[in-house]
Amino acid sequence: MWYSARMPDAARSPRHLRADRRAAAWLALGLLAVMVAVLLGWAAGLAARHDAGHALEDQARATANLNAALLRTELEKQRSLPFVLAADPDLRDALQHPDPARLLATSRKLERLRDGTGADVIYLIDSVGMTVAASNWRDDTSFVGNDYRFRQYFQEGLAAGAGEHYALGNVSRRPGLYISRRLGPATAPLGVVVVKVEFGAVEDAWRDPQRPVYVADPQGVVLVTNRPAWRFRTLEPLPDEDLTAIRDSLQYGDAPLTPLPLRSNPIGRDPGTVLLDAENSGRAVAMLRVEVPVPAAPWRLFMLVPAEATLAAAEADRRHAVLGLSLLMFGFGGFLLQRAGRTRRRAAAQEAARAELEDRVAARTAELTAEIAGREQTEARLAEARDTLQQANRLATLGQVAAGVAHEINQPVAAIRSYAENAGTFLDRGDTAKARGNLETIGRLCQRIGGITDELRAFSRKGAGPLGPVRVAAAVEGAALLLRARLDQQGVPLHRGPPFHDAWIIGHQVRLEQVLVNLIQNALDALEDQDDGQIHLSVLATGGEVRIEVRDNGPGIPEAIRVALFLPFTTSKPQGLGLGLVICNDIVTEAGGRIEASAPPGGGTGFTIILPEAQP
């Protein structure tokens, strides 16, 4: 017999009534589960978006701090140059006795310093504001003869002893930072020396089409940026009186000084974001903006990072995960309740104990899951912070050693050129055996150059390799190979010992060869015009130390220069930059040793490298 689904309750059996009530309860529970899951998913999505925003901001701020450190490294490197030049006696003589020959020699010296330090222009201004010598004296845009008394950096340098001013060059029409130092006392100044620094290399290092980087001065004018079109634009609209004052000063030429294409985010959902409309198309892109100070300068560095895609993805992923997990948990809970109902009908006491156990297991599982997730997140953040600090340290150290690489590579290149010329001569004579020998030597020198450049690349990626045992005799052979052609050409013998011990030290063979090449090269320079020149190289291991001495019988070095040999720009050579011995000292110090200069009793100059002895 068939019954209607809506037959009166009085006509239905108690069993059917209980089933209907259970079905209605399950339906209500299912609807409630869906509503709670949706609510949890929405809340979890907002929390995920918030967390992702903080993580993205931390990452962007770390990158911005690295960019600011790179800019600071460039600033500090260039600031040291006018400080050193302000005490240069040649520049003082040029200002006190400005005859044409002396001024031309000064311009040539500034030209060599510019090429060796990477500065854009170095020039010397007398006390009335007239440029008397400049590193660009050969160019059509030479500063020599220009009157810069109206420039702020000249006025500050003359009055306060030092000045800095960022402006557009009125001759070159290129922007840069002008750093000045006064020569002479404040009561009777002789003039100022100025170094102009351009930041093209820094901007290239920041180059990223997706992440604009820009630096603004206290007035809000953009000075340095990886987007050239943003240079000399402003963070906010400037008052008319400020615009007039800046344009009258010609600090930025005829730049329009219009605001950047950024506006505040009206949504208010993600703090710290702005809308970027670079093309004025009305289709703005949400960008996270971070701001950090530039150390050692009154500037601020800003960085924009695309934010919407990252935040939306994090929000969607968390929301979907929580929604799916919630529904799964509710479904599983319903299954457990249904099973618990059947079990309760069979054994109420057993069901109560089992339900309590399952509740405890579920609670402990949730606690363990949350604890594991928090630990993994903490470990990931610690690893990211550690990698960021290590990379910042490598970049700062790389900025300090990069200036010496070209100086060190020029030596094997000169040897390659000499062996190549000799190989051509041997081929003309038909002596293929000697020509082949020269070519093999050139190949080994090329491998040596590759070792130097590979070492620099490896350092920039992973830091310096581990120190290891180095046979001193092998390093001496390598240095002699690099300079064999010049030794033969100049007719100077290289005597090895006595004593000459087969000693070992802890370090890098290539770097020890660099030091030996520098010292032997300096000895050859000292013996350039001497017929009976000789160089002695000895190695002595005693008392846990290895002493490597390079000594010549040249004219020697004056005491006034010898005491400052290991300071930058100190040299007795007319064409020298004074960087070779500084590099040698850094290499030996890094290996745990020291280097000393002496004047032997018989005349000439001696250098002694002292390093800890090692076991092979």
Side-chain angles (χ1 to χ4, degrees):
M1 183 175 195
W2 296 97
Y3 291 92
S4 169
R6 295 188 178 273
M7 61 186 301
D9 290 346
R12 297 174 65 82
S13 65
R15 178 182 177 185
H16 288 160
L17 291 175
R18 288 195 298 271
D20 290 344
R21 286 195 292 271
R22 284 197 298 271
W26 280 112
L27 178 61
L29 182 61
L31 292 176
L32 179 62
V34 171
M35 293 174 61
V36 172
V38 171
L39 181 61
L40 288 176
W42 177 79
L46 291 182
R49 189 180 184 96
H50 183 267
D51 294 342
H54 279 294
L56 186 62
E57 182 180 1
D58 292 342
Q59 180 184 8
R61 192 171 299 280
T63 304
N65 281 321
L66 285 179
N67 291 335
L70 180 62
L71 180 58
R72 176 189 180 180
T73 300
E74 183 67 18
L75 284 171
E76 295 294 348
K77 180 180 71 174
Q78 297 300 340
R79 281 172 175 163
S80 64
L81 184 56
F83 176 79
V84 173
L85 290 178
D88 192 304
D90 292 341
L91 272 64
R92 291 174 176 264
D93 290 344
L95 291 173
Q96 291 173 334
H97 309 286
D99 58 88
R102 194 184 304 272
L103 294 179
L104 179 59
T106 302
S107 291
R108 292 180 183 274
K109 180 174 185 176
L110 296 181
E111 182 181 33
R112 292 195 303 273
L113 284 175
R114 177 201 63 188
D115 297 338
T117 60
D120 181 61
V121 183
I122 309 173
Y123 50 106
L124 186 65
I125 305 176
D126 63 17
S127 60
V128 298
M130 189 66 66
T131 303
V132 297
S135 61
N136 62 355
W137 64 280
R138 301 177 188 269
D139 302 339
D140 294 337
T141 57
S142 170
F143 290 0
V144 176
N146 288 348
D147 186 353
Y148 289 120
R149 75 183 69 182
F150 69 95
R151 281 298 198 180
Q152 181 178 338
Y153 59 80
F154 170 75
Q155 299 169 2
E156 291 180 355
L158 206 62
E164 290 187 6
H165 186 58
Y166 193 97
L168 187 70
N170 65 330
V171 175
S172 64
R173 309 307 297 170
R174 294 200 308 266
L177 179 64
Y178 295 83
I179 307 173
S180 63
R181 278 278 180 175
R182 183 181 63 216
L183 286 82
T187 56
L190 301 175
V192 298
V193 60
V194 184
V195 175
K196 180 183 179 184
V197 183
E198 296 184 5
F199 299 98
V202 175
E203 293 173 337
D204 289 340
W206 294 346
R207 193 72 63 193
D208 187 340
Q210 302 299 324
R211 298 187 174 194
V213 180
Y214 52 99
V215 176
D217 66 5
Q219 290 182 294
V221 179
V222 175
L223 306 180
V224 185
T225 174
N226 62 358
R227 291 201 171 187
W230 287 15
R231 185 175 288 108
F232 298 150
R233 300 190 72 172
T234 61
L235 303 181
E236 301 290 344
L238 295 180
D240 292 340
E241 58 271 19
D242 292 348
L243 282 173
T244 302
I246 292 175
R247 290 192 176 116
D248 290 344
S249 69
L250 300 179
Q251 182 177 3
Y252 305 122
D254 55 357
L257 299 174
T258 56
L260 291 172
L262 302 173
R263 61 178 186 271
S264 59
N265 192 344
I267 299 176
R269 187 180 184 184
D270 303 308
T273 60
V274 295
L275 297 179
L276 170 62
D277 187 5
E279 305 297 333
N280 293 321
S281 60
R283 294 189 297 272
V285 179
M287 306 286 284
L288 176 67
R289 179 172 62 187
V290 295
E291 173 186 352
V292 297
V294 177
W299 299 344
R300 294 173 293 162
L301 184 143
F302 298 85
M303 183 174 180
L304 303 180
V305 179
E308 182 56 35
T310 301
L311 300 182
E315 180 181 8
D317 290 345
R318 180 79 65 85
R319 182 171 295 168
H320 293 160
V322 171
L323 181 60
L325 181 62
S326 299
L327 292 176
L328 181 62
M329 290 179 64
F330 280 121
F332 183 65
F335 168 75
L336 292 179
L337 287 176
Q338 190 177 28
R339 183 178 177 182
R342 290 195 302 266
T343 305
R344 188 167 49 248
R345 287 191 296 269
R346 292 192 301 266
Q350 255 182 11
E351 171 56 22
R354 186 180 297 112
E356 182 180 0
L357 179 60
E358 289 174 351
D359 290 340
R360 290 179 179 179
V361 169
R364 184 54 181 163
T365 300
E367 292 176 2
L368 290 175
T369 302
E371 182 179 348
I372 292 172
R375 184 176 302 170
E376 290 177 348
Q377 185 177 11
T378 301
E379 291 176 352
R381 288 182 177 176
L382 286 175
E384 181 181 358
R386 186 165 52 251
D387 291 344
T388 300
L389 290 175
Q390 291 174 356
Q391 180 67 8
N393 185 43
R394 286 196 293 271
L395 288 175
T397 307
L398 181 63
Q400 296 172 0
V401 302
V405 173
H407 182 79
E408 300 301 331
I409 290 181
N410 281 340
Q411 296 164 350
V413 168
I416 287 173
R417 182 169 58 248
S418 176
Y419 278 108
E421 292 173 355
N422 290 340
T425 302
F426 290 143
L427 289 175
D428 292 340
R429 297 174 181 174
D431 192 346
T432 58
K434 290 185 177 180
R436 182 179 294 106
N438 277 22
L439 293 177
E440 291 175 354
T441 302
I442 290 173
R444 290 193 295 272
L445 290 173
C446 290
Q447 291 178 351
R448 183 64 59 201
I449 293 174
I452 295 173
T453 56
D454 287 345
E455 181 178 341
L456 182 61
R457 283 197 301 268
F459 179 80
S460 67
R461 292 192 303 267
K462 300 178 180 178
L467 301 176
V470 174
R471 183 168 171 259
V472 176
V476 171
E477 289 296 330
L481 175 66
L482 290 175
L483 296 174
R484 182 178 300 164
R486 182 173 177 188
L487 288 167
D488 294 343
Q489 179 183 3
Q490 198 167 330
V492 176
L494 176 61
H495 302 289
R496 305 182 193 179
F500 194 93
H501 292 175
D502 190 10
W504 293 72
I505 59 100
I506 292 294
H508 298 280
Q509 179 171 333
V510 172
R511 293 197 172 187
L512 180 56
E513 289 179 10
Q514 291 173 6
V515 175
L516 293 174
V517 166
N518 264 297
L519 297 181
I520 298 173
Q521 188 92 324
N522 288 344
L524 286 170
D525 292 340
L527 300 171
E528 187 73 37
D529 299 323
Q530 188 168 325
D531 295 334
D532 60 342
Q534 296 186 27
I535 301 175
H536 295 268
L537 193 152
S538 63
V539 178
L540 178 63
T542 177
E545 290 183 339
V546 176
R547 302 176 69 89
I548 308 169
E549 183 182 23
V550 178
R551 176 169 50 86
D552 63 68
N553 63 339
I557 301 175
E559 175 66 19
I561 297 179
R562 190 169 66 251
V563 296
L565 274 179
F566 301 107
L567 296 177
F569 311 121
T570 299
T571 179
S572 60
K573 303 176 186 178
Q575 304 298 324
L577 290 178
L579 294 177
L581 290 178
V582 176
I583 296 170
C584 292
N585 186 58
D586 289 343
I587 293 174
V588 174
T589 303
E590 181 184 1
R594 64 188 186 276
I595 184 169
E596 299 174 351
S598 62
T605 302
F607 286 92
T608 304
I609 305 166
I610 304 170
L611 293 166
E613 186 178 12
Q615 297 299 322

